[in-house]
Amino acid sequence: MYVMTLHRSSIGKKIIMAVTGLIWVGFVLLHMYGNLKVFLGPEYFNAYAEGLRTLGAPIFGHTHLLYVARLVLTVALVLHVWSAYSLTQQAHHARPSNYIVRQKVQANRASLSMRWGGVVILIFLIYHLMHLTWGLPVAPGVFVQADAYHNLVNGFHFIPATILYLLGVIALSFHLYHGVFSAFQTLGLNNQNTETSIKGAALALSLVISIGFAVVPLSVVAGIVR
Amino acid sequence: MKLHLKVWRQKSGNRQGHLVDYELDNVSPDESFLEMMDLLNEKLIEKGEEPVAFDHDCREGICGSCGMVINGIAHGPKAAVTTCQLHMRNFKDGDTVVVEPWRASPFPIIKDLVVDRSAFDRIIQAGGYISVSTGSAPDANTLPVGKEQSDLAMDAAQCIACGACVAACPNGSAMLFTAAKAAHLGLLPQGQPERNRRAVLMINQQDAEGFGGCTNIGECEAVCPKSISMDFIARLNRDVLVGTIAGAGRVEA
């Protein structure tokens, strides 16, 4: 079980970050796909939301698989944030005083914004859970546990929430563009021959995910989804 | 041509450093950057001031001694050259040129632009040996090595350990160096038996020296005077992953 010693080295931490990140990429893709059902009307969307709770029935009980997924995602998130924090500390110790003049040569915006972009995503995620999963009073309107469609439409009529969601989605797309490429590089699955295709796929993925997510709150604001 | 220089001066590792302004006239565009620094030092000596300390040895881009961060870029604005091979024709008359040392805690400043890079030696030492029989040279072709494979190993072996990758990395990571050193042995048949163990031991030493982790930004590759590719970092990651899971380097029944 030497795999449990991965967390000791910087590369091991990055491997943990890559694997947990890829788990979240899978979740985010499915989540975006599910969200798009909102365009098919309230019955269809609410049936999908209920379907998540009855996933695996009759072998699995009500919400059982959902909680397994939540557990996996929570553990993945904690490990992802922990390794990011730990590596950030290590990097700050390695370069305590910076250059007076600094020029970047080939680094892109996405690769340089991974850390604070990740913090923006984390803040967004917490607000999102309070807003549309737990139904905490972080936005006006009534939260109805069994009516996901109503909660979504009502939730995005609150413009500050919509703006925060859009910021979260933009941060996510930047994070994914560099993150997906970086995961392949960290897992040793990249070289010069594959770099262009991996970066292209990462760009396509981040565009699909950001547009797929952004279109829902924008449609609510535009009155297409009501 | 005439240059406005801003050079990092620091009496010793435990003293505060700061940029000092110098005006330098009659710089020839055919001079190398180090010859320009020599010119500055001659002027300083004439004035009775302390010359700027900087590392240099071969001055033909192969020893890895020299290295300065010039206007915010390790080894200056020209790609794939060391500071000694950077010529003043890359600058314009009247330019302001800021010269700083490599900045990373595993590379403590000794004086002015000179840093202690012995952390690199310790990473190489940590990698250990390769299993090669001593004695008379083996017959040719007893150990076939593919042309592509040997070319790639030579690409990695080009690393001169100048430390520009560490200087350019926002995380102060030595991954490009360590990856190149691990790869030039790991790509050849002679380096196979200890390949994963070497990768794990070298990365452990790199962490212990206080270098940061890699975020795959690519600044190292961009400033590397030998254009060493980040592919070798992916390769090191793979070897460390396999080596860690397999418990490489551990001797157990």
Side-chain angles (χ1 to χ4, degrees), chain A residues 2-3 5-6 8-12 14-15 87 90-91 93-107 111-112 115 178 181-183 185-192 195, chain B residues 8 19 69 71-73 98 100-101 103-105 166-169 171 175 203 207 210-212 214-219 221-222 229-231 233-234 237-238 240-241 244-247 250 252:
Chain A
Y2 292 119
V3 71
T5 63
L6 265 181
R8 291 184 193 163
S9 75
S10 57
I11 292 184
K14 286 180 49 55
I15 288 165
L87 287 166
Q90 190 179 341
H93 287 138
R95 172 72 48 72
S97 66
N98 216 336
Y99 294 100
I100 292 161
V101 178
R102 184 105 183 87
Q103 264 190 74
K104 63 183 169 83
V105 188
Q106 69 175 24
S111 67
L112 293 172
R115 285 175 188 144
H178 184 69
F181 160 72
S182 200
Q185 171 79 8
T186 298
L187 295 173
L189 303 173
N190 179 46
N191 62 44
Q192 276 168 350
E195 187 169 327
Chain B
W8 185 262
L19 285 180
V69 173
N71 287 338
I73 302 177
V98 181
E100 293 179 71
R103 290 194 194 280
S105 15
V166 177
C169 178
N171 308 311
M175 282 288 275
I203 206 66
D207 286 341
F211 292 101
C214 176
T215 48
N216 305 320
I217 283 170
E219 287 293 281
E221 181 185 66
S229 163
M230 276 171 66
D231 287 9
I233 296 183
N237 290 335
R238 200 159 64 224
V240 169
L241 174 60
T244 305
I245 291 174
R250 290 158 192 270
E252 284 166 24

Coordinates of all heavy atoms in Angstrom, one line a residue, chain A residues 2-3 5-6 8-12 14-15 87 90-91 93-107 111-112 115 178 181-183 185-192 195, chain B residues 8 19 69 71-73 98 100-101 103-105 166-169 171 175 203 207 210-212 214-219 221-222 229-231 233-234 237-238 240-241 244-247 250 252:
Chain A
Y2 N 1.9 1.2 -0.8 CA 2.8 2.4 -0.9 C 2.1 3.6 -1.5 O 2.6 4.7 -1.4 CB 4.0 2.1 -1.6 CG 4.9 1.1 -0.9 CD1 5.2 -0.1 -1.5 CD2 5.4 1.4 0.3 CE1 6.0 -1.0 -0.8 CE2 6.2 0.5 1.0 CZ 6.5 -0.7 0.4 OH 7.3 -1.6 1.1
V3 N 0.9 3.4 -2.1 CA 0.2 4.5 -2.7 C -0.2 5.5 -1.6 O -0.3 6.7 -1.9 CB -1.1 4.0 -3.5 CG1 -2.1 3.5 -2.5 CG2 -1.6 5.0 -4.4
T5 N 1.7 6.6 0.5 CA 2.8 7.5 0.8 C 2.9 8.6 -0.3 O 3.8 9.5 -0.2 CB 4.2 6.7 0.8 OG1 4.4 6.2 -0.5 CG2 4.2 5.6 1.8
L6 N 2.0 8.7 -1.2 CA 2.0 9.7 -2.3 C 2.0 11.1 -1.7 O 2.7 12.0 -2.3 CB 0.8 9.5 -3.2 CG 1.0 8.7 -4.5 CD1 -0.3 8.7 -5.2 CD2 2.1 9.2 -5.3
R8 N 3.5 12.4 0.5 CA 4.7 12.9 1.1 C 5.6 13.8 0.2 O 6.3 14.7 0.6 CB 5.6 11.8 1.6 CG 5.0 11.0 2.7 CD 5.9 9.9 3.2 NE 5.2 9.1 4.2 CZ 5.6 7.8 4.5 NH1 6.7 7.4 4.0 NH2 4.9 7.1 5.3
S9 N 5.6 13.5 -1.1 CA 6.4 14.3 -2.0 C 5.6 15.3 -2.8 O 4.3 15.2 -2.9 CB 7.1 13.4 -3.0 OG 6.3 12.9 -4.0
S10 N 6.2 16.4 -3.3 CA 5.5 17.4 -4.1 C 4.8 16.8 -5.3 O 3.7 17.1 -5.7 CB 6.5 18.5 -4.5 OG 7.5 18.0 -5.3
I11 N 5.5 15.8 -6.0 CA 4.9 15.2 -7.1 C 3.7 14.4 -6.7 O 2.6 14.4 -7.4 CB 5.9 14.3 -7.9 CG1 6.9 15.3 -8.6 CG2 5.2 13.5 -9.0 CD1 8.0 14.5 -9.4
G12 N 3.8 13.7 -5.6 CA 2.7 12.9 -5.1 C 1.5 13.8 -4.8 O 0.3 13.5 -5.1
K14 N 0.8 16.6 -6.2 CA 0.3 17.0 -7.5 C -0.6 15.9 -8.2 O -1.6 16.1 -8.8 CB 1.4 17.4 -8.5 CG 2.0 18.7 -8.1 CD 3.1 19.2 -9.0 CE 2.7 19.1 -10.4 NZ 1.5 19.8 -10.7
I15 N -0.1 14.6 -8.0 CA -0.9 13.5 -8.5 C -2.2 13.4 -7.8 O -3.3 13.2 -8.4 CB -0.1 12.2 -8.4 CG1 1.1 12.2 -9.4 CG2 -0.9 10.9 -8.6 CD1 2.2 11.2 -9.1
L87 N 1.1 22.8 -1.4 CA 2.1 23.2 -2.5 C 2.3 24.7 -2.6 O 3.4 25.1 -2.9 CB 1.7 22.6 -3.8 CG 1.8 21.1 -4.0 CD1 1.1 20.5 -5.2 CD2 3.3 20.7 -4.1
Q90 N 4.7 25.5 0.1 CA 6.0 25.1 -0.3 C 6.6 26.1 -1.3 O 7.8 26.5 -1.2 CB 6.0 23.7 -0.9 CG 7.3 23.1 -1.2 CD 7.2 21.7 -1.8 OE1 6.2 21.1 -1.7 NE2 8.3 21.2 -2.4
A91 N 5.8 26.6 -2.3 CA 6.2 27.5 -3.3 C 6.6 28.8 -2.7 O 7.6 29.5 -3.1 CB 5.2 27.7 -4.4
H93 N 7.7 29.4 0.3 CA 8.9 29.2 1.1 C 10.1 29.2 0.1 O 11.2 29.6 0.4 CB 8.9 28.0 1.9 CG 8.0 28.1 3.1 ND1 7.2 27.1 3.6 CD2 7.8 29.1 4.0 CE1 6.5 27.5 4.6 NE2 6.9 28.7 4.9
A94 N 9.9 28.6 -1.1 CA 11.0 28.5 -2.1 C 11.3 29.9 -2.7 O 12.4 30.1 -3.2 CB 10.6 27.5 -3.2
R95 N 10.3 30.8 -2.7 CA 10.6 32.1 -3.3 C 10.0 33.2 -2.4 O 9.0 33.8 -2.6 CB 9.9 32.2 -4.7 CG 9.9 33.5 -5.4 CD 11.2 34.0 -6.0 NE 11.9 33.0 -6.7 CZ 11.5 32.6 -8.0 NH1 10.5 33.1 -8.6 NH2 12.2 31.7 -8.6
P96 N 10.7 33.4 -1.2 CA 10.2 34.4 -0.3 C 10.2 35.8 -0.7 O 9.3 36.6 -0.5 CB 11.0 34.1 1.0 CG 12.2 33.4 0.6 CD 11.9 32.8 -0.8
S97 N 11.3 36.2 -1.4 CA 11.4 37.5 -1.9 C 11.4 37.5 -3.5 O 12.1 36.7 -4.1 CB 12.7 38.2 -1.5 OG 13.8 37.6 -2.1
N98 N 10.5 38.3 -4.0 CA 10.4 38.2 -5.5 C 11.3 39.2 -6.2 O 12.0 40.0 -5.6 CB 8.9 38.5 -5.9 CG 8.5 37.7 -7.1 OD1 9.4 37.2 -7.8 ND2 7.2 37.4 -7.2
Y99 N 11.3 39.1 -7.5 CA 12.2 39.9 -8.3 C 11.6 41.3 -8.3 O 10.4 41.5 -8.2 CB 12.2 39.4 -9.8 CG 12.9 38.1 -9.9 CD1 12.2 36.9 -10.0 CD2 14.3 38.0 -9.9 CE1 12.9 35.7 -10.0 CE2 15.0 36.8 -9.9 CZ 14.3 35.6 -10.0 OH 14.9 34.4 -10.1
I100 N 12.5 42.3 -8.5 CA 12.0 43.7 -8.6 C 11.4 43.9 -10.0 O 10.4 44.5 -10.1 CB 13.2 44.6 -8.3 CG1 13.6 44.5 -6.8 CG2 12.8 46.1 -8.6 CD1 15.0 45.0 -6.5
V101 N 12.0 43.3 -11.0 CA 11.5 43.4 -12.3 C 11.2 41.9 -12.7 O 12.0 41.0 -12.6 CB 12.5 44.0 -13.4 CG1 11.9 44.0 -14.8 CG2 12.8 45.4 -12.9
R102 N 10.0 41.7 -13.2 CA 9.5 40.3 -13.6 C 8.8 40.4 -14.9 O 7.9 41.2 -15.1 CB 8.6 39.9 -12.4 CG 8.2 38.5 -12.6 CD 8.9 37.6 -11.5 NE 8.5 36.2 -11.6 CZ 9.1 35.4 -12.5 NH1 10.1 35.8 -13.2 NH2 8.8 34.1 -12.6
Q103 N 9.2 39.5 -15.8 CA 8.6 39.4 -17.1 C 8.2 37.9 -17.3 O 9.0 37.1 -17.1 CB 9.5 39.8 -18.2 CG 9.4 41.2 -18.7 CD 10.2 41.4 -20.0 OE1 9.8 41.0 -21.0 NE2 11.3 42.1 -19.9
K104 N 7.0 37.7 -17.8 CA 6.7 36.3 -18.1 C 7.0 36.1 -19.6 O 6.9 37.0 -20.4 CB 5.2 35.9 -17.8 CG 4.1 36.7 -18.5 CD 2.8 36.2 -18.0 CE 1.7 37.1 -18.4 NZ 1.1 36.8 -19.7
V105 N 7.4 34.8 -19.9 CA 7.8 34.5 -21.3 C 6.7 33.8 -22.0 O 6.3 34.2 -23.1 CB 9.1 33.7 -21.3 CG1 9.6 33.6 -22.7 CG2 10.2 34.4 -20.4
Q106 N 6.3 32.6 -21.4 CA 5.2 31.9 -22.1 C 4.0 31.5 -21.2 O 3.1 30.8 -21.7 CB 5.8 30.7 -22.9 CG 6.3 29.6 -21.9 CD 6.7 28.3 -22.7 OE1 7.1 28.4 -23.9 NE2 6.7 27.2 -22.1
A107 N 4.1 31.9 -20.0 CA 3.0 31.5 -19.1 C 1.7 32.2 -19.5 O 1.7 33.4 -19.9 CB 3.3 31.9 -17.6
S111 N -2.9 29.7 -16.4 CA -1.9 28.9 -15.6 C -1.5 29.8 -14.4 O -1.1 29.2 -13.4 CB -0.7 28.5 -16.4 OG 0.1 29.6 -16.8
L112 N -1.5 31.1 -14.5 CA -1.1 31.9 -13.4 C -2.2 32.2 -12.4 O -1.9 32.8 -11.4 CB -0.5 33.2 -13.9 CG 0.8 33.1 -14.7 CD1 1.2 34.4 -15.4 CD2 2.0 32.6 -13.8
R115 N -4.4 29.4 -8.4 CA -4.6 29.5 -6.9 C -5.7 30.4 -6.6 O -6.7 29.9 -5.9 CB -3.3 29.9 -6.3 CG -2.3 28.8 -6.3 CD -0.9 29.2 -5.7 NE 0.0 28.1 -5.9 CZ 1.3 28.2 -6.2 NH1 1.8 29.4 -6.3 NH2 2.0 27.2 -6.4
H178 N -6.3 25.2 -17.8 CA -5.0 24.8 -17.4 C -5.0 23.5 -16.5 O -4.1 22.7 -16.7 CB -4.3 25.9 -16.6 CG -2.8 25.6 -16.2 ND1 -1.9 25.5 -17.2 CD2 -2.3 25.2 -15.1 CE1 -0.7 25.2 -16.6 NE2 -0.9 25.0 -15.3
F181 N -5.1 20.2 -18.7 CA -3.8 20.0 -19.3 C -2.8 19.5 -18.3 O -2.0 18.6 -18.4 CB -3.3 21.2 -20.0 CG -1.9 21.2 -20.3 CD1 -1.3 20.4 -21.2 CD2 -1.0 22.1 -19.5 CE1 0.1 20.4 -21.4 CE2 0.3 22.0 -19.7 CZ 0.9 21.2 -20.6
S182 N -2.8 20.3 -17.2 CA -1.9 20.1 -16.1 C -2.0 18.7 -15.5 O -1.0 18.0 -15.1 CB -2.1 21.1 -15.0 OG -1.0 21.3 -14.2
A183 N -3.2 18.2 -15.4 CA -3.5 16.8 -14.9 C -2.8 15.8 -15.7 O -2.1 14.9 -15.2 CB -5.0 16.6 -14.7
Q185 N -0.2 16.3 -17.7 CA 1.2 16.4 -17.6 C 1.7 15.8 -16.3 O 2.7 15.1 -16.2 CB 1.5 17.9 -17.6 CG 3.0 18.3 -17.3 CD 4.0 18.1 -18.4 OE1 3.6 17.8 -19.5 NE2 5.2 18.2 -18.1
T186 N 0.9 16.0 -15.2 CA 1.3 15.5 -13.9 C 1.2 14.0 -13.8 O 2.1 13.4 -13.2 CB 0.4 16.1 -12.8 OG1 0.6 17.5 -12.8 CG2 0.7 15.6 -11.4
L187 N 0.3 13.4 -14.5 CA 0.2 12.0 -14.5 C 1.1 11.3 -15.5 O 1.1 10.1 -15.7 CB -1.3 11.5 -14.8 CG -2.3 12.0 -13.7 CD1 -3.7 11.7 -14.1 CD2 -2.0 11.3 -12.4
G188 N 1.9 12.2 -16.2 CA 2.9 11.7 -17.1 C 2.3 11.2 -18.4 O 2.9 10.3 -19.1
L189 N 1.1 11.7 -18.8 CA 0.5 11.3 -20.0 C 0.6 12.3 -21.1 O -0.2 12.3 -22.0 CB -1.0 11.0 -19.7 CG -1.3 10.0 -18.6 CD1 -2.7 9.9 -18.2 CD2 -0.8 8.6 -19.0
N190 N 1.6 13.2 -21.0 CA 1.7 14.3 -22.0 C 3.1 14.3 -22.6 O 4.1 14.0 -21.9 CB 1.4 15.6 -21.4 CG 1.5 16.7 -22.4 OD1 1.0 16.7 -23.5 ND2 2.2 17.8 -22.0
N191 N 3.2 14.6 -23.9 CA 4.5 15.0 -24.4 C 4.3 15.9 -25.6 O 3.1 16.3 -25.9 CB 5.3 13.7 -24.8 CG 4.6 12.9 -25.9 OD1 4.1 13.4 -26.9 ND2 4.6 11.6 -25.7
Q192 N 5.3 16.3 -26.3 CA 5.2 17.3 -27.3 C 4.2 16.9 -28.4 O 3.6 17.7 -29.0 CB 6.6 17.6 -28.0 CG 7.3 18.6 -27.2 CD 8.8 18.7 -27.6 OE1 9.3 17.9 -28.3 NE2 9.5 19.7 -27.1
E195 N 0.7 17.4 -26.8 CA 0.4 18.7 -26.1 C -0.7 19.5 -26.8 O -1.6 20.0 -26.1 CB 1.7 19.5 -25.9 CG 1.4 20.7 -25.0 CD 2.7 21.4 -24.6 OE1 3.7 20.7 -24.5 OE2 2.7 22.6 -24.5
Chain B
W8 N 21.9 44.5 -8.8 CA 21.6 44.1 -7.4 C 23.0 44.0 -6.7 O 23.9 43.2 -7.1 CB 20.9 42.7 -7.4 CG 20.6 42.3 -6.0 CD1 21.3 41.4 -5.2 CD2 19.4 42.7 -5.3 NE1 20.6 41.3 -4.0 CE2 19.5 42.1 -4.0 CE3 18.3 43.5 -5.6 CZ2 18.5 42.2 -3.0 CZ3 17.4 43.7 -4.6 CH2 17.4 43.1 -3.3
L19 N 19.1 47.6 -5.4 CA 19.6 47.9 -6.7 C 20.4 49.2 -6.7 O 20.1 50.1 -6.0 CB 18.4 48.1 -7.7 CG 17.6 46.8 -8.1 CD1 16.5 47.2 -9.0 CD2 18.5 45.8 -8.8
V69 N 19.3 37.3 -13.8 CA 18.0 37.7 -14.3 C 18.0 39.1 -14.9 O 18.3 40.0 -14.1 CB 16.9 37.6 -13.1 CG1 15.6 38.1 -13.6 CG2 16.8 36.1 -12.7
N71 N 16.4 42.1 -16.8 CA 15.1 42.7 -17.1 C 13.9 41.7 -16.8 O 13.0 41.6 -17.6 CB 15.0 43.3 -18.5 CG 15.8 44.6 -18.7 OD1 16.1 45.2 -17.7 ND2 16.1 44.9 -19.9
G72 N 14.1 41.0 -15.8 CA 13.0 40.1 -15.3 C 13.0 38.7 -16.0 O 12.1 37.9 -15.8
I73 N 14.0 38.4 -16.9 CA 14.0 37.1 -17.6 C 15.3 36.5 -17.3 O 16.4 37.1 -17.5 CB 13.8 37.3 -19.1 CG1 12.4 38.0 -19.4 CG2 13.8 35.9 -19.8 CD1 12.2 38.2 -20.9
V98 N 18.0 46.0 -15.9 CA 18.0 45.6 -14.5 C 18.6 44.2 -14.4 O 18.2 43.3 -15.1 CB 16.6 45.6 -14.0 CG1 16.5 45.3 -12.5 CG2 15.9 47.0 -14.2
E100 N 19.5 41.1 -11.8 CA 19.3 40.6 -10.4 C 19.8 39.1 -10.4 O 20.0 38.5 -11.4 CB 17.7 40.5 -10.1 CG 17.1 41.9 -10.0 CD 15.6 41.8 -9.7 OE1 15.2 41.4 -8.6 OE2 14.8 42.1 -10.6
P101 N 20.1 38.6 -9.2 CA 20.5 37.2 -9.1 C 19.3 36.3 -9.2 O 18.2 36.7 -9.1 CB 21.1 37.2 -7.7 CG 20.4 38.2 -6.9 CD 20.0 39.3 -7.9
R103 N 16.7 34.1 -7.7 CA 16.0 34.2 -6.4 C 15.3 33.0 -6.0 O 14.3 32.6 -6.6 CB 15.1 35.4 -6.4 CG 15.8 36.7 -6.4 CD 14.8 37.9 -6.1 NE 15.4 39.2 -6.4 CZ 16.3 39.8 -5.7 NH1 16.7 39.2 -4.6 NH2 16.8 41.0 -6.1
A104 N 15.8 32.2 -5.0 CA 15.1 31.0 -4.5 C 15.8 30.7 -3.2 O 17.0 30.8 -3.1 CB 15.2 29.9 -5.5
S105 N 15.0 30.3 -2.2 CA 15.7 30.0 -0.9 C 16.7 28.9 -1.0 O 17.6 28.9 -0.2 CB 14.7 29.9 0.2 OG 13.4 29.6 -0.2
V166 N 14.9 27.2 -12.1 CA 14.5 27.6 -10.7 C 14.2 29.1 -10.7 O 13.2 29.6 -10.1 CB 15.5 27.2 -9.7 CG1 15.2 27.7 -8.3 CG2 15.8 25.7 -9.8
A167 N 15.1 29.9 -11.3 CA 15.0 31.3 -11.3 C 13.7 31.8 -11.9 O 13.1 32.8 -11.5 CB 16.2 32.0 -11.9
A168 N 13.3 31.1 -13.0 CA 12.2 31.6 -13.8 C 10.8 31.1 -13.2 O 9.8 31.7 -13.4 CB 12.3 31.1 -15.2
C169 N 10.9 30.0 -12.4 CA 9.7 29.4 -11.9 C 9.0 30.2 -10.9 O 9.7 30.6 -9.9 CB 10.0 28.0 -11.4 SG 8.5 27.2 -10.7
N171 N 7.2 29.2 -8.7 CA 7.2 28.4 -7.4 C 8.6 28.1 -7.0 O 8.7 27.3 -6.0 CB 6.5 27.1 -7.7 CG 5.1 27.3 -8.3 OD1 4.3 28.1 -7.8 ND2 4.8 26.6 -9.4
M175 N 12.1 21.4 -11.0 CA 11.6 20.2 -11.7 C 12.3 20.0 -13.1 O 12.5 18.9 -13.5 CB 10.1 20.3 -11.9 CG 9.3 20.0 -10.7 SD 9.4 18.2 -10.3 CE 8.0 17.6 -11.3
I203 N 13.5 13.4 -6.2 CA 12.4 14.3 -5.9 C 12.3 14.6 -4.4 O 12.0 15.7 -3.9 CB 11.0 13.9 -6.5 CG1 10.1 15.1 -6.7 CG2 10.3 12.9 -5.6 CD1 10.6 16.0 -7.8
D207 N 12.6 18.2 -2.7 CA 11.6 18.8 -1.7 C 12.4 19.2 -0.4 O 12.2 20.3 0.1 CB 10.6 17.8 -1.4 CG 9.5 17.6 -2.5 OD1 9.5 18.5 -3.3 OD2 8.8 16.6 -2.5
G210 N 14.1 22.5 -0.3 CA 13.2 23.6 -0.2 C 12.7 24.2 -1.5 O 12.2 25.3 -1.6
F211 N 12.9 23.5 -2.6 CA 12.4 23.9 -3.9 C 10.9 23.8 -3.9 O 10.3 22.9 -3.2 CB 13.0 23.1 -5.1 CG 14.4 23.4 -5.3 CD1 15.4 22.4 -4.9 CD2 14.8 24.5 -6.0 CE1 16.7 22.7 -5.1 CE2 16.2 24.7 -6.2 CZ 17.1 23.8 -5.7
G212 N 10.2 24.5 -4.7 CA 8.7 24.4 -4.8 C 8.3 23.3 -5.7 O 9.1 22.6 -6.3
C214 N 5.9 21.9 -9.1 CA 5.7 22.3 -10.5 C 4.2 22.6 -10.7 O 3.3 21.9 -10.2 CB 6.1 21.2 -11.4 SG 5.8 21.6 -13.2
T215 N 3.9 23.7 -11.4 CA 2.5 24.0 -11.7 C 2.3 24.0 -13.3 O 1.3 24.5 -13.8 CB 1.9 25.3 -11.1 OG1 2.9 26.3 -11.4 CG2 1.7 25.2 -9.6
N216 N 3.2 23.4 -14.0 CA 3.1 23.2 -15.4 C 2.9 24.5 -16.2 O 2.1 24.5 -17.2 CB 2.0 22.2 -15.7 CG 2.2 20.9 -15.0 OD1 3.4 20.4 -14.9 ND2 1.2 20.3 -14.5
I217 N 3.5 25.6 -15.7 CA 3.3 26.9 -16.4 C 4.2 27.0 -17.6 O 3.8 27.6 -18.6 CB 3.6 28.0 -15.3 CG1 2.4 28.1 -14.4 CG2 3.9 29.3 -16.0 CD1 2.7 29.0 -13.2
G218 N 5.4 26.4 -17.5 CA 6.3 26.4 -18.7 C 7.3 27.5 -18.8 O 8.0 27.6 -19.8
E219 N 7.4 28.3 -17.7 CA 8.5 29.4 -17.8 C 9.9 28.8 -17.8 O 10.8 29.4 -18.4 CB 8.3 30.3 -16.6 CG 7.1 31.2 -16.6 CD 7.2 32.3 -17.8 OE1 7.9 33.3 -17.6 OE2 6.6 32.0 -18.8
E221 N 11.0 26.0 -19.3 CA 11.3 25.6 -20.6 C 11.6 26.8 -21.5 O 12.5 26.7 -22.3 CB 10.0 24.8 -21.2 CG 10.1 24.3 -22.5 CD 8.8 23.7 -22.9 OE1 7.8 24.4 -23.1 OE2 8.7 22.5 -23.1
A222 N 10.9 27.9 -21.3 CA 11.0 29.1 -22.1 C 12.4 29.7 -21.9 O 12.9 30.3 -22.8 CB 9.9 30.1 -21.8
S229 N 12.9 20.2 -22.8 CA 11.5 20.2 -22.9 C 10.8 19.7 -21.6 O 11.4 18.9 -20.8 CB 11.1 19.2 -24.0 OG 9.8 18.9 -23.9
M230 N 9.6 20.3 -21.3 CA 8.8 19.9 -20.2 C 8.4 18.4 -20.3 O 7.8 17.9 -19.3 CB 7.6 20.8 -20.1 CG 7.8 22.1 -19.3 SD 6.4 23.1 -19.5 CE 5.2 22.2 -18.6
D231 N 8.5 17.8 -21.5 CA 8.2 16.4 -21.6 C 8.9 15.6 -20.6 O 8.4 14.6 -20.1 CB 8.7 15.9 -23.0 CG 7.8 16.4 -24.1 OD1 7.0 17.2 -23.9 OD2 8.0 15.9 -25.3
I233 N 9.6 16.5 -17.6 CA 8.9 16.6 -16.3 C 7.8 15.6 -16.3 O 7.6 14.9 -15.2 CB 8.4 18.0 -16.1 CG1 9.6 19.0 -16.0 CG2 7.5 18.1 -14.9 CD1 9.2 20.4 -15.8
A234 N 7.0 15.4 -17.4 CA 6.0 14.4 -17.4 C 6.6 13.0 -17.2 O 6.0 12.2 -16.5 CB 5.3 14.5 -18.8
N237 N 7.4 12.7 -13.5 CA 6.1 12.5 -12.8 C 5.7 11.0 -12.9 O 5.3 10.4 -11.9 CB 5.0 13.3 -13.4 CG 5.2 14.8 -13.1 OD1 5.9 15.2 -12.1 ND2 4.7 15.7 -13.9
R238 N 5.8 10.5 -14.1 CA 5.4 9.1 -14.3 C 6.3 8.1 -13.5 O 5.8 7.2 -12.8 CB 5.6 8.8 -15.8 CG 4.8 7.6 -16.3 CD 4.6 7.8 -17.8 NE 5.8 7.7 -18.6 CZ 6.1 8.6 -19.6 NH1 5.3 9.5 -19.9 NH2 7.2 8.5 -20.2
V240 N 8.0 8.8 -10.8 CA 7.8 9.0 -9.4 C 6.5 8.3 -9.0 O 6.4 7.6 -8.0 CB 7.8 10.5 -9.0 CG1 7.3 10.7 -7.6 CG2 9.2 11.1 -9.1
L241 N 5.5 8.4 -9.8 CA 4.2 7.8 -9.6 C 4.4 6.3 -9.5 O 4.0 5.6 -8.5 CB 3.2 8.1 -10.6 CG 1.8 7.4 -10.6 CD1 1.1 7.7 -9.2 CD2 0.9 7.8 -11.7
T244 N 6.7 5.4 -6.5 CA 6.1 5.5 -5.2 C 5.2 4.4 -4.9 O 5.2 3.8 -3.8 CB 5.3 6.9 -5.1 OG1 6.2 7.9 -5.4 CG2 4.8 7.1 -3.7
I245 N 4.3 4.1 -5.9 CA 3.3 3.0 -5.7 C 4.0 1.6 -5.4 O 3.6 0.8 -4.6 CB 2.3 2.9 -6.9 CG1 1.4 4.2 -6.8 CG2 1.5 1.7 -6.8 CD1 0.5 4.3 -8.0
A246 N 5.1 1.5 -6.2 CA 5.8 0.2 -6.0 C 6.8 0.2 -4.8 O 7.4 -0.8 -4.6 CB 6.6 -0.1 -7.3
G247 N 6.8 1.3 -4.1 CA 7.7 1.3 -3.0 C 9.2 1.3 -3.4 O 10.0 0.6 -2.7
R250 N 12.8 0.9 -1.3 CA 12.6 0.2 0.0 C 13.1 -1.2 -0.1 O 12.8 -1.9 -1.1 CB 11.2 0.2 0.4 CG 10.7 1.6 0.7 CD 9.2 1.6 0.6 NE 8.6 2.9 0.6 CZ 8.3 3.6 1.7 NH1 8.4 2.9 2.9 NH2 7.8 4.8 1.7
E252 N 12.7 -4.7 1.5 CA 11.9 -5.4 2.4 C 11.7 -6.9 2.0 O 11.8 -7.1 0.8 CB 10.5 -4.8 2.5 CG 10.4 -3.5 3.3 CD 9.1 -2.8 3.1 OE1 8.1 -3.4 2.8 OE2 9.1 -1.5 3.3

